[in-house]
Amino acid sequence: MLYLWLKALHIIALVCWFAGLFYLPRLFVYHAMSHDNISHERFCVMERKLYRGIMTPSMVLTLALGAGLLSLNPSYYFSQGWLHAKLLLVSALVVYHLICGAQLKRFASGENRHSHVFYRWFNEAPVLALLGIVILVVVRPF
């Protein structure tokens, strides 16, 4: 029963984290296209609240609950190749999350160096990671 609760909460936290991973770079697209001070300030507030209030707590919960799931049967999980690939993708997502945080600070200080086109492409990375993670967990190809 504990396994099922941890799994359900892990999935809920993951969905919340991914909502932020999909939305924050989209805000960056619009922020990079804005040129007035009012829009700049509004985007800074939205980005900061999303990152600190939703994304980061959701990431921490996702990682903690995932670790809890792994702790229930570590010898089994760590012998599975799909898990190692999944953890690699999760590590890449954590790095992506931190890059988003650094970019948020650049926007806040007026030091953004990228165009809205860059952020449109940047926004696709978590989609690819999600595809890989879901396939690895459900199909378990190796």
Side-chain angles (χ1 to χ4, degrees):
M1 187 64 120
L2 175 63
Y3 171 78
L4 294 176
W5 277 106
L6 285 175
K7 188 175 181 180
L9 293 172
H10 178 68
I11 292 169
I12 292 166
L14 172 96
V15 168
C16 293
W17 185 28
F18 265 92
L21 289 173
F22 291 151
Y23 189 50
L24 184 61
R26 177 54 52 180
L27 287 176
F28 291 161
V29 169
Y30 301 136
H31 197 161
M33 292 170 48
S34 71
H35 300 292
D36 60 288
N37 196 37
I38 292 171
S39 295
H40 171 73
E41 292 302 319
R42 183 177 297 128
F43 282 118
C44 285
V45 169
M46 291 170 64
E47 292 159 358
R48 185 183 72 248
K49 286 184 176 185
L50 177 61
Y51 187 79
R52 292 183 185 166
I54 296 172
M55 288 175 64
T56 300
S58 296
M59 178 190 69
V60 170
L61 277 173
T62 299
L63 298 174
L65 291 163
L69 285 166
L70 291 175
S71 73
L72 294 178
N73 195 352
S75 60
Y76 166 74
Y77 285 118
F78 286 110
S79 68
Q80 302 298 305
W82 63 267
L83 178 71
H84 295 281
K86 176 194 173 189
L87 293 176
L88 183 65
L89 288 173
V90 170
S91 299
L93 281 172
V94 170
V95 170
Y96 182 86
H97 180 101
L98 296 172
I99 290 169
C100 284
Q103 190 56 47
L104 184 144
K105 290 177 184 176
R106 285 188 198 99
F107 269 116
S109 65
E111 298 174 6
N112 173 47
R113 297 176 298 228
H114 301 294
S115 72
H116 66 95
V117 175
F118 170 83
Y119 293 112
R120 288 180 195 279
W121 286 104
F122 181 72
N123 195 31
E124 301 306 319
V127 174
L128 298 174
L130 181 63
L131 286 171
I133 289 169
V134 169
I135 290 168
L136 287 166
V137 171
V138 174
V139 178
R140 297 183 181 187
F142 49 89

